[in-house]
Amino acid sequence: MPGEADFIELLPDPELRSDRLLLGIRHFDEPFLLTVSLSQGLGSSDLWLDRGRAGKARLAEFRRIGDRVLFAVRNKHFLTSGDEAAVRAGDESFALSVVWSGPVLREENGVVVVDATGLVVADHDRVAEHLHAHEQGDYTIDESASLPLVADSRTGPRAVRLPALLTFRGPGRGRAVQAVAADPRAVTVVQQLNLMRLPATPLPVRRYHPASGGYGIGYADHGLVGRAGTQVRFQPRFRAEPGGDPVVFQIDPAIPEPFRSAVVEGGNWWQRAFARIGLPDAYRVEPGGAGFDPYEPGVNGVVWVHRAGRGWSLGQGLTDPRTGEILHARVRLGSQRVEQVRALGEALLAPYGRPDEAERLAAVEELVLARLRQLAAHEIGHALGFMHNFAGTGHPEPSVMDYPHARIRVTEEGDLDLSAAYGTELGPWDHYLVAHAYGRFGEGEEDTALAALRREAAEAGLTYVSDEDAQGPHAAHADAVPWVSGADALRALETMLRVRRIALDGFSAGVLPPDRQTGELEERAALLHLLHRHEVAAVARLVGGVRYAYGLAGEAGRGTEAVEAATQHTALNRLAELLRAEQLALPHAVLDTLTPPAIRYGRTEQYLDTGAGRIFDPFEAVRAATALVTQQLLDPARLNRVAWQHAADPAVPGVADIVDTLLAATWRRNDPVPGDLPGGAAVQHAADWALLDHLLALLDDTALHTPVRMSLRGAVRRLATELRCQGDEQAREAGELIRAFLADPGSVRLDPLPRVPPGAPN
């Protein structure tokens, strides 16, 4: 507030020392928010220690005991309500963490002066712990090369920012640190310690509902014991009110044009949703000026972050733990996303050296801008308080809170069209998110109005499935797979396979800018070869898949329902076909074009591995594409689900059905491999052996339930009997290997499962 004294004062050092920070503290025993940011990061996609990184918030306070000042941190997830005795019981039940203390130097005009250098030059963001957890070695702060940045410190009535240059000494042998640090034995970052006062007038809370699409944040309130559940959860949201201060996001001027304008445009898509609920002036996105400072409490910033390698973008909000009010937000946009999307567009259109090169390059550029618009809307959506919705692709119009893959159309002439690859506005789910979080209702009407919104969204088919239920090996929901290009998984797979074939058959040096070394053609080929990876995951999710919805126990619900048996069989058969040589073999257009990386260049994790020395390895390409299918279908959690569903309904495919269907396309294939296929039978044999290695390795996986493992073992034993009786030498050898493995697994060397290059983010 204007004229109010600073929350904490920065004081000049009477000894004029630049390596010492003196603070004048006015308020003791008053909780405030403590957050930590990095304004100079490490630049590694593997480590997430980025410029703009925001650490977890904690409650903190200064305490004075005699002639010492303590800096105490409290877990904000334990807050107790009630009378004085109840609050005291809560405070005394959970430990404080005193992270610093220092002597009182003097008192003047109601201000207690301390030397806070030790407070600021400390690893509050746990960088050393983070490096250790990511196997980069044991690092510790080098106090001789760390100091507070006194001249850059800021203070005011509401907040204090105390930056420090921190140098971490360590072994310097970690791969990720070696890739980015000038000297990996001395890693230097700039940490911003932020102390923010809580609002004097708390925002009225909006209770969290599992179907709201918002983040459910909150705390355990043990003052409610005996009256209600102790878990209290809120919908995080900004204080968006008619006539109040608007929610403004400023865009980092470091983002070059035309990308900056695309980010502004995409971020402003949310304006329409706020206008629809009667708050037309409550939100906007604008370019930041020359003094753009995303670490100031009053600035919601979109920060441009550079990293080595493929990395994610991120939207975060700092919230008042008492109410869920978002006090400050920050978005990190990874600049490498531009290159990732451009590589996709160039690989698909092969623009260089063509008569219509300018037209094709314009299409690639628009692809990049369209993706950045959507990305800006997505990450700012997180900062506004909204979670992912990985079922959003199936809505009448896709939600920006889904992960979108480019939607590629095949024209009647057989060309690839990228003109409608990404959405151009919010979807209905996004409008629902804003209405549910920020809508204003009459006194006593909120619960009824929000319930009506949820009911209308469900009736409109706006399915909601978020992170754990959509991503990773344990996800089982059939309607939510990230990065898919269409709502109908089987149809999307067919479309993407057609796109993949057209792009691979048209592969040439024209997929790469003419001034780039030809070894990078291999990376573009790998991108196209595995282009269908997300659709494979979506079709595999139908096998052993289920459907369910989030809600409360007192609401009507349908429980968990298995995917229809016929759909599961169709999905299984279609995936098995992908293990046939016709789908796995790379065309001559690719094989005849590739060369190894030039001297002073090398393969990155985006390349396929090679067992052929420096040369591209077609066998490894076959193994990686095979693994797209086997890693999905043979996941232990999926097999356990399949076994139970089959036990409950024999019409659903069981574990043996999965194995037999995969074997029908490989070892039991009964039609010849086309003779004009590059690699011919060798391609099929490579897939056969990759599948067999995976099946045998799976027998030792402790994640499988015993009956499931025995069913798998029986299917493999039956295969061994068949193969040992065949005339084909490869088949007989496979049968002998299975027999030996079943008798003594330690006597058999299995090839490791192939590494599949990362395919996300896109």
Side-chain angles (χ1 to χ4, degrees):
M1 286 177 277
E4 184 179 344
D6 283 355
F7 168 36
I8 295 171
E9 292 188 11
L10 290 169
L11 301 175
D13 190 328
E15 300 177 16
L16 301 179
R17 291 173 52 184
S18 61
D19 62 345
R20 188 165 75 154
L21 179 74
L22 300 185
L23 293 182
I25 303 170
R26 291 181 176 276
H27 303 275
F28 290 92
D29 305 312
E30 177 187 315
F32 51 82
L33 277 175
L34 167 69
T35 64
V36 186
S37 301
L38 295 182
S39 58
Q40 179 169 334
L42 195 55
S44 169
S45 294
D46 295 330
L47 299 179
W48 285 81
L49 296 171
D50 304 326
R51 172 187 188 237
R53 168 184 164 91
K56 293 183 177 180
R58 289 166 286 173
L59 283 172
E61 60 190 66
F62 286 104
R63 293 188 172 189
R64 181 175 182 180
I65 299 178
D67 62 354
R68 295 193 69 83
V69 171
L70 312 179
F71 189 76
V73 177
R74 183 181 296 280
N75 189 333
K76 68 184 178 69
H77 298 295
F78 296 97
L79 303 176
T80 305
S81 64
D83 58 23
E84 183 177 347
V87 172
R88 177 182 176 183
D91 289 346
E92 295 176 354
S93 294
F94 299 99
L96 285 172
S97 296
V98 176
V99 298
W100 172 85
S101 73
V104 174
L105 300 182
R106 63 182 185 275
E107 294 184 54
E108 51 188 36
N109 302 320
V111 172
V112 175
V113 180
V114 295
D115 178 353
T117 304
L119 168 62
V120 176
V121 184
D123 187 11
H124 291 280
D125 201 29
R126 302 178 183 176
V127 170
E129 182 180 316
H130 191 90
L131 292 171
H132 175 81
H134 286 74
E135 300 179 345
Q136 301 304 300
D138 293 325
Y139 283 79
T140 57
I141 286 184
D142 181 351
E143 294 184 2
S144 67
S146 303
L147 69 160
L149 300 177
V150 180
D152 296 330
S153 298
R154 300 286 184 272
T155 187
R158 292 183 54 242
V160 176
R161 189 174 77 195
L162 305 173
L165 185 145
L166 304 181
T167 298
F168 294 86
R169 295 267 178 203
R173 293 189 292 271
R175 180 189 60 82
V177 173
Q178 287 183 344
V180 294
D183 183 343
R185 298 168 300 175
V187 176
T188 301
V189 299
V190 174
Q191 172 186 274
Q192 305 275 351
L193 199 62
N194 305 291
L195 285 57
M196 182 181 292
R197 299 182 79 177
L198 296 171
T201 304
L203 180 72
V205 302
R206 179 152 295 175
R207 290 195 306 164
Y208 170 72
H209 189 282
S212 67
Y215 284 100
I217 65 171
Y219 54 86
D221 183 353
H222 289 84
L224 300 175
V225 168
R227 294 183 288 136
T230 58
Q231 292 299 315
V232 178
R233 294 189 183 275
F234 306 127
Q235 160 74 54
R237 54 187 184 142
F238 281 96
R239 192 183 293 247
E241 299 172 337
D245 293 334
V247 178
V248 179
F249 281 81
Q250 294 185 9
I251 307 301
D252 195 337
I255 304 178
E257 291 291 3
F259 309 130
R260 188 190 319 153
S261 292
V263 170
V264 172
E265 181 182 344
N268 273 321
W269 288 355
W270 291 104
Q271 282 184 328
R272 305 165 195 169
F274 281 94
R276 184 175 288 185
I277 62 170
L279 295 171
D281 300 318
Y283 167 89
R284 71 174 184 270
V285 177
E286 61 189 25
F292 172 75
D293 186 349
Y295 310 103
E296 280 297 309
V299 175
N300 302 307
V302 177
V303 183
W304 196 233
V305 179
H306 305 309
R307 307 185 186 99
R310 196 181 191 107
W312 298 85
S313 296
L314 193 71
Q316 296 173 282
L318 172 65
T319 57
D320 182 342
R322 305 168 302 173
T323 65
E325 178 183 356
I326 302 174
L327 306 174
H328 172 70
R330 191 178 310 141
V331 170
R332 283 180 273 164
L333 291 186
S335 64
Q336 73 277 8
R337 190 68 63 91
V338 171
E339 292 306 310
Q340 291 162 8
V341 179
R342 179 172 282 132
L344 173 63
E346 291 174 342
L348 289 168
L349 297 184
Y352 298 101
R354 290 180 178 262
D356 59 349
E357 177 178 313
E359 180 181 341
R360 289 175 181 255
L361 286 177
V364 172
E365 188 69 11
E366 179 50 39
L367 180 77
V368 173
L369 296 177
R371 182 65 183 100
L372 283 180
R373 294 183 195 105
Q374 199 282 339
L375 179 64
H378 178 96
E379 300 302 347
I380 289 177
H382 284 317
L384 289 171
F386 309 139
M387 293 191 73
H388 292 123
N389 186 356
F390 292 124
T393 298
H395 295 174
E397 293 293 334
S399 167
V400 301
M401 298 314 297
D402 203 342
Y403 282 169
H405 195 280
R407 294 190 174 194
I408 309 157
R409 191 175 71 88
V410 180
T411 68
E412 293 182 359
E413 295 77 20
D415 296 323
L416 302 182
D417 179 5
L418 306 181
S419 61
Y422 298 106
T424 58
E425 60 182 348
L426 300 182
W429 176 257
D430 308 312
H431 285 279
Y432 159 79
L433 290 173
V434 172
H436 200 283
Y438 291 94
R440 299 176 60 80
F441 310 103
E443 186 174 353
E445 298 177 356
E446 182 171 298
D447 288 347
T448 301
L450 293 177
L453 283 173
R454 294 190 295 271
R455 184 169 57 253
E456 291 167 6
E459 291 171 352
L462 304 184
T463 310
Y464 170 47
V465 185
S466 199
D467 292 70
E468 289 86 350
D469 295 304
Q471 297 194 88
H474 298 293
H477 203 294
D479 297 329
V481 179
W483 306 114
V484 292
S485 55
D488 183 327
L490 288 160
R491 181 179 298 176
L493 175 62
E494 296 309 312
T495 299
M496 194 58 76
L497 286 172
R498 188 180 177 198
V499 169
R500 171 179 175 266
R501 179 52 53 193
I502 292 171
L504 286 172
D505 287 343
F507 191 85
S508 71
V511 303
L512 200 64
D515 60 350
R516 302 272 280 274
Q517 62 97 14
T518 56
E520 293 179 57
L521 291 167
E522 195 175 309
E523 182 180 8
R524 301 289 166 95
L527 190 159
L528 295 177
H529 184 50
L530 305 177
L531 187 65
H532 58 309
R533 66 169 76 219
H534 306 298
E535 285 70 31
V536 167
V539 173
R541 188 70 62 79
L542 298 172
V543 181
V546 295
R547 293 185 173 95
Y548 50 90
Y550 307 134
L552 300 177
E555 299 170 338
R558 65 183 187 184
T560 300
E561 301 174 349
V563 171
E564 305 81 4
T567 302
Q568 294 203 36
H569 280 287
T570 300
L572 175 58
N573 288 324
R574 188 63 190 93
L575 290 176
E577 292 174 9
L578 299 182
L579 302 187
R580 292 169 60 89
E582 294 88 332
Q583 296 286 352
L584 296 168
L586 286 166
H588 289 294
V590 174
L591 297 175
D592 296 346
T593 304
L594 301 183
T595 65
I599 302 303
R600 306 297 293 176
Y601 294 91
R603 291 182 173 92
T604 70
E605 64 174 3
Q606 304 299 316
Y607 288 66
L608 292 161
D609 289 342
T610 176
R614 285 185 45 78
I615 303 301
F616 177 78
D617 186 349
F619 281 119
E620 198 62 36
V622 172
R623 282 167 39 83
T626 301
L628 291 184
V629 175
T630 61
Q631 287 178 1
Q632 291 291 333
L633 285 179
L634 299 181
D635 174 72
R638 186 184 314 282
L639 294 178
N640 287 337
R641 292 195 302 271
V642 162
W644 179 257
Q645 289 185 12
H646 180 71
D649 179 4
V652 171
V655 173
D657 296 313
I658 289 179
V659 176
D660 289 341
T661 303
L662 295 177
L663 292 173
T666 52
W667 290 103
R668 292 174 180 154
R669 177 172 178 162
N670 56 17
D671 61 319
V673 176
D676 60 346
L677 199 66
V683 171
Q684 190 62 67
H685 283 314
D688 297 346
W689 284 106
L691 171 62
L692 183 57
D693 283 330
H694 200 148
L695 287 171
L696 295 180
L698 194 60
L699 292 176
D700 280 340
D701 198 316
T702 58
L704 286 174
H705 292 310
T706 300
V708 180
R709 187 181 302 107
M710 292 301 102
S711 180
L712 179 64
R713 190 178 181 89
V716 171
R717 182 181 289 111
R718 290 191 295 274
L719 174 65
T721 301
E722 294 176 26
L723 295 178
R724 293 176 68 195
C725 298
Q726 291 186 16
D728 180 79
E729 181 181 358
Q730 294 266 358
R732 291 197 306 273
E733 290 296 329
E736 290 297 330
L737 182 140
I738 295 171
R739 184 190 62 78
F741 183 89
L742 293 177
D744 179 11
S747 68
V748 174
R749 186 193 69 81
L750 300 178
D751 286 340
L753 300 182
R755 183 190 68 87
V756 178
N762 288 324

Short mmCIF file of all heavy atoms in Angstrom, two decimals, residues 344 347-348 405-411 414-418 485 492-506 528 531-532:
data_model
loop_
_atom_site.label_atom_id
_atom_site.label_comp_id
_atom_site.label_asym_id
_atom_site.label_seq_id
_atom_site.Cartn_x
_atom_site.Cartn_y
_atom_site.Cartn_z
N LEU A 344 9.70 -31.30 -37.41
CA LEU A 344 8.57 -32.12 -37.83
C LEU A 344 8.03 -31.64 -39.17
O LEU A 344 7.81 -32.44 -40.09
CB LEU A 344 7.47 -32.06 -36.77
CG LEU A 344 6.14 -32.74 -37.13
CD1 LEU A 344 6.35 -34.24 -37.34
CD2 LEU A 344 5.09 -32.47 -36.06
N ALA A 347 10.49 -32.41 -41.98
CA ALA A 347 10.54 -33.84 -42.29
C ALA A 347 9.33 -34.28 -43.08
O ALA A 347 9.42 -35.13 -43.98
CB ALA A 347 10.65 -34.64 -41.00
N LEU A 348 8.18 -33.70 -42.79
CA LEU A 348 6.94 -34.09 -43.47
C LEU A 348 6.88 -33.52 -44.89
O LEU A 348 6.46 -34.22 -45.83
CB LEU A 348 5.73 -33.62 -42.67
CG LEU A 348 5.46 -34.35 -41.35
CD1 LEU A 348 4.42 -33.59 -40.54
CD2 LEU A 348 5.00 -35.77 -41.61
N HIS A 405 -0.95 -33.31 -30.83
CA HIS A 405 -0.04 -33.63 -31.92
C HIS A 405 -0.58 -32.94 -33.17
O HIS A 405 -1.78 -32.70 -33.28
CB HIS A 405 0.05 -35.14 -32.15
CG HIS A 405 1.21 -35.55 -33.00
ND1 HIS A 405 1.19 -35.46 -34.37
CD2 HIS A 405 2.42 -36.06 -32.67
CE1 HIS A 405 2.34 -35.89 -34.86
NE2 HIS A 405 3.11 -36.26 -33.85
N ALA A 406 0.31 -32.61 -34.09
CA ALA A 406 -0.14 -31.98 -35.32
C ALA A 406 -1.14 -32.89 -36.04
O ALA A 406 -0.90 -34.08 -36.22
CB ALA A 406 1.07 -31.71 -36.22
N ARG A 407 -2.26 -32.30 -36.44
CA ARG A 407 -3.24 -33.03 -37.24
C ARG A 407 -2.88 -32.83 -38.71
O ARG A 407 -2.99 -31.73 -39.24
CB ARG A 407 -4.64 -32.52 -36.95
CG ARG A 407 -5.09 -32.82 -35.52
CD ARG A 407 -6.56 -32.55 -35.33
NE ARG A 407 -7.02 -32.97 -34.02
CZ ARG A 407 -8.29 -33.09 -33.67
NH1 ARG A 407 -9.23 -32.81 -34.54
NH2 ARG A 407 -8.62 -33.49 -32.46
N ILE A 408 -2.47 -33.91 -39.34
CA ILE A 408 -1.96 -33.85 -40.71
C ILE A 408 -3.00 -34.48 -41.64
O ILE A 408 -3.41 -35.62 -41.45
CB ILE A 408 -0.62 -34.59 -40.82
CG1 ILE A 408 0.34 -34.10 -39.73
CG2 ILE A 408 -0.01 -34.42 -42.20
CD1 ILE A 408 1.43 -35.08 -39.37
N ARG A 409 -3.39 -33.72 -42.63
CA ARG A 409 -4.40 -34.21 -43.58
C ARG A 409 -3.72 -34.68 -44.85
O ARG A 409 -2.74 -34.09 -45.31
CB ARG A 409 -5.39 -33.09 -43.90
CG ARG A 409 -6.62 -33.53 -44.66
CD ARG A 409 -7.59 -32.38 -44.84
NE ARG A 409 -7.10 -31.39 -45.80
CZ ARG A 409 -7.32 -31.46 -47.12
NH1 ARG A 409 -8.02 -32.47 -47.63
NH2 ARG A 409 -6.85 -30.52 -47.92
N VAL A 410 -4.25 -35.76 -45.41
CA VAL A 410 -3.78 -36.25 -46.71
C VAL A 410 -4.78 -35.78 -47.76
O VAL A 410 -5.97 -36.09 -47.69
CB VAL A 410 -3.65 -37.78 -46.73
CG1 VAL A 410 -3.17 -38.25 -48.09
CG2 VAL A 410 -2.70 -38.25 -45.63
N THR A 411 -4.30 -35.03 -48.74
CA THR A 411 -5.19 -34.49 -49.77
C THR A 411 -5.57 -35.59 -50.77
O THR A 411 -5.00 -36.69 -50.78
CB THR A 411 -4.51 -33.34 -50.53
OG1 THR A 411 -3.42 -33.87 -51.30
CG2 THR A 411 -3.98 -32.29 -49.56
N GLY A 414 -2.83 -37.01 -52.60
CA GLY A 414 -1.84 -37.76 -51.84
C GLY A 414 -0.75 -36.91 -51.24
O GLY A 414 0.29 -37.43 -50.82
N ASP A 415 -0.96 -35.61 -51.15
CA ASP A 415 0.01 -34.72 -50.52
C ASP A 415 -0.36 -34.51 -49.04
O ASP A 415 -1.50 -34.76 -48.62
CB ASP A 415 0.03 -33.36 -51.23
CG ASP A 415 0.50 -33.49 -52.67
OD1 ASP A 415 1.39 -34.31 -52.92
OD2 ASP A 415 -0.05 -32.76 -53.54
N LEU A 416 0.61 -34.02 -48.28
CA LEU A 416 0.39 -33.76 -46.86
C LEU A 416 0.05 -32.29 -46.66
O LEU A 416 0.72 -31.40 -47.18
CB LEU A 416 1.64 -34.13 -46.05
CG LEU A 416 2.09 -35.59 -46.17
CD1 LEU A 416 3.31 -35.85 -45.29
CD2 LEU A 416 0.96 -36.55 -45.82
N ASP A 417 -1.00 -32.05 -45.87
CA ASP A 417 -1.51 -30.70 -45.65
C ASP A 417 -1.44 -30.40 -44.15
O ASP A 417 -2.05 -31.09 -43.33
CB ASP A 417 -2.96 -30.62 -46.14
CG ASP A 417 -3.59 -29.25 -45.92
OD1 ASP A 417 -2.87 -28.33 -45.47
OD2 ASP A 417 -4.80 -29.11 -46.17
N LEU A 418 -0.69 -29.35 -43.77
CA LEU A 418 -0.50 -28.97 -42.36
C LEU A 418 -1.29 -27.72 -41.99
O LEU A 418 -1.10 -27.17 -40.91
CB LEU A 418 0.98 -28.71 -42.09
CG LEU A 418 1.97 -29.82 -42.46
CD1 LEU A 418 3.39 -29.40 -42.11
CD2 LEU A 418 1.62 -31.11 -41.77
N SER A 485 -3.58 -37.68 -32.40
CA SER A 485 -3.99 -36.75 -33.45
C SER A 485 -5.47 -36.84 -33.77
O SER A 485 -5.95 -36.15 -34.67
CB SER A 485 -3.19 -37.03 -34.73
OG SER A 485 -3.33 -38.38 -35.12
N ALA A 492 -7.27 -42.76 -36.08
CA ALA A 492 -6.09 -41.89 -36.02
C ALA A 492 -4.83 -42.67 -36.37
O ALA A 492 -3.92 -42.14 -37.03
CB ALA A 492 -5.97 -41.27 -34.63
N LEU A 493 -4.75 -43.92 -35.92
CA LEU A 493 -3.59 -44.74 -36.27
C LEU A 493 -3.50 -44.95 -37.78
O LEU A 493 -2.42 -44.82 -38.37
CB LEU A 493 -3.66 -46.08 -35.55
CG LEU A 493 -2.56 -47.08 -35.90
CD1 LEU A 493 -1.18 -46.54 -35.55
CD2 LEU A 493 -2.80 -48.43 -35.21
N GLU A 494 -4.62 -45.25 -38.40
CA GLU A 494 -4.60 -45.46 -39.85
C GLU A 494 -4.16 -44.20 -40.58
O GLU A 494 -3.36 -44.25 -41.53
CB GLU A 494 -5.99 -45.89 -40.33
CG GLU A 494 -6.46 -47.23 -39.78
CD GLU A 494 -5.42 -48.33 -39.98
OE1 GLU A 494 -4.89 -48.46 -41.10
OE2 GLU A 494 -5.14 -49.04 -39.00
N THR A 495 -4.67 -43.06 -40.14
CA THR A 495 -4.28 -41.80 -40.79
C THR A 495 -2.80 -41.54 -40.61
O THR A 495 -2.09 -41.18 -41.57
CB THR A 495 -5.11 -40.64 -40.21
OG1 THR A 495 -6.49 -40.87 -40.45
CG2 THR A 495 -4.69 -39.32 -40.83
N MET A 496 -2.29 -41.74 -39.39
CA MET A 496 -0.88 -41.45 -39.15
C MET A 496 0.03 -42.43 -39.88
O MET A 496 1.11 -42.04 -40.35
CB MET A 496 -0.59 -41.47 -37.65
CG MET A 496 0.75 -40.86 -37.29
SD MET A 496 0.95 -39.13 -37.82
CE MET A 496 -0.05 -38.29 -36.60
N LEU A 497 -0.39 -43.68 -40.02
CA LEU A 497 0.41 -44.63 -40.78
C LEU A 497 0.48 -44.23 -42.25
O LEU A 497 1.51 -44.38 -42.91
CB LEU A 497 -0.17 -46.03 -40.64
CG LEU A 497 0.05 -46.72 -39.28
CD1 LEU A 497 -0.74 -48.02 -39.21
CD2 LEU A 497 1.53 -46.98 -39.03
N ARG A 498 -0.63 -43.71 -42.75
CA ARG A 498 -0.63 -43.26 -44.15
C ARG A 498 0.29 -42.05 -44.30
O ARG A 498 1.06 -41.95 -45.26
CB ARG A 498 -2.05 -42.92 -44.57
CG ARG A 498 -2.18 -42.64 -46.06
CD ARG A 498 -3.60 -42.30 -46.43
NE ARG A 498 -3.70 -41.95 -47.85
CZ ARG A 498 -4.71 -41.28 -48.39
NH1 ARG A 498 -5.74 -40.90 -47.61
NH2 ARG A 498 -4.72 -41.00 -49.68
N VAL A 499 0.21 -41.11 -43.35
CA VAL A 499 1.09 -39.94 -43.38
C VAL A 499 2.55 -40.39 -43.30
O VAL A 499 3.41 -39.90 -44.05
CB VAL A 499 0.74 -39.00 -42.21
CG1 VAL A 499 1.81 -37.92 -42.04
CG2 VAL A 499 -0.63 -38.37 -42.41
N ARG A 500 2.81 -41.30 -42.42
CA ARG A 500 4.18 -41.81 -42.24
C ARG A 500 4.71 -42.42 -43.53
O ARG A 500 5.85 -42.17 -43.94
CB ARG A 500 4.18 -42.84 -41.11
CG ARG A 500 5.46 -43.63 -40.92
CD ARG A 500 5.30 -44.58 -39.73
NE ARG A 500 6.44 -45.46 -39.55
CZ ARG A 500 6.53 -46.70 -40.04
NH1 ARG A 500 5.52 -47.20 -40.77
NH2 ARG A 500 7.59 -47.44 -39.80
N ARG A 501 3.89 -43.22 -44.18
CA ARG A 501 4.34 -43.88 -45.41
C ARG A 501 4.62 -42.85 -46.51
O ARG A 501 5.62 -42.94 -47.22
CB ARG A 501 3.28 -44.89 -45.86
CG ARG A 501 3.60 -45.63 -47.16
CD ARG A 501 4.97 -46.28 -47.13
NE ARG A 501 5.16 -47.12 -45.96
CZ ARG A 501 6.33 -47.60 -45.57
NH1 ARG A 501 7.43 -47.28 -46.23
NH2 ARG A 501 6.42 -48.37 -44.50
N ILE A 502 3.75 -41.87 -46.66
CA ILE A 502 3.96 -40.83 -47.67
C ILE A 502 5.25 -40.07 -47.39
O ILE A 502 6.05 -39.81 -48.30
CB ILE A 502 2.76 -39.87 -47.70
CG1 ILE A 502 1.51 -40.59 -48.24
CG2 ILE A 502 3.06 -38.63 -48.53
CD1 ILE A 502 0.24 -39.77 -48.11
N ALA A 503 5.47 -39.71 -46.12
CA ALA A 503 6.67 -38.95 -45.77
C ALA A 503 7.93 -39.77 -45.95
O ALA A 503 8.96 -39.26 -46.44
CB ALA A 503 6.55 -38.45 -44.33
N LEU A 504 7.91 -41.05 -45.57
CA LEU A 504 9.09 -41.89 -45.73
C LEU A 504 9.39 -42.16 -47.20
O LEU A 504 10.55 -42.13 -47.63
CB LEU A 504 8.90 -43.21 -44.98
CG LEU A 504 8.99 -43.14 -43.45
CD1 LEU A 504 8.60 -44.47 -42.83
CD2 LEU A 504 10.40 -42.75 -43.00
N ASP A 505 8.35 -42.40 -47.99
CA ASP A 505 8.57 -42.65 -49.42
C ASP A 505 9.09 -41.40 -50.13
O ASP A 505 9.80 -41.50 -51.14
CB ASP A 505 7.28 -43.12 -50.08
CG ASP A 505 6.91 -44.55 -49.71
OD1 ASP A 505 7.80 -45.28 -49.21
OD2 ASP A 505 5.75 -44.94 -49.88
N GLY A 506 8.75 -40.23 -49.62
CA GLY A 506 9.21 -38.98 -50.21
C GLY A 506 10.44 -38.41 -49.56
O GLY A 506 10.82 -37.26 -49.81
N LEU A 528 10.32 -39.62 -38.46
CA LEU A 528 9.26 -40.14 -39.32
C LEU A 528 9.00 -41.62 -39.07
O LEU A 528 7.85 -42.09 -39.09
CB LEU A 528 9.60 -39.90 -40.78
CG LEU A 528 9.67 -38.43 -41.23
CD1 LEU A 528 10.11 -38.35 -42.68
CD2 LEU A 528 8.33 -37.74 -41.03
N LEU A 531 6.79 -41.96 -36.17
CA LEU A 531 5.77 -40.91 -36.15
C LEU A 531 4.45 -41.39 -35.54
O LEU A 531 3.70 -40.59 -34.99
CB LEU A 531 5.53 -40.42 -37.59
CG LEU A 531 4.61 -39.21 -37.78
CD1 LEU A 531 5.23 -37.97 -37.15
CD2 LEU A 531 4.34 -38.99 -39.26
N HIS A 532 4.17 -42.66 -35.62
CA HIS A 532 2.89 -43.21 -35.17
C HIS A 532 2.91 -43.64 -33.70
O HIS A 532 1.98 -44.27 -33.24
CB HIS A 532 2.53 -44.41 -36.05
CG HIS A 532 3.56 -45.51 -36.03
ND1 HIS A 532 4.90 -45.30 -36.26
CD2 HIS A 532 3.46 -46.85 -35.82
CE1 HIS A 532 5.57 -46.45 -36.19
NE2 HIS A 532 4.71 -47.39 -35.92
#
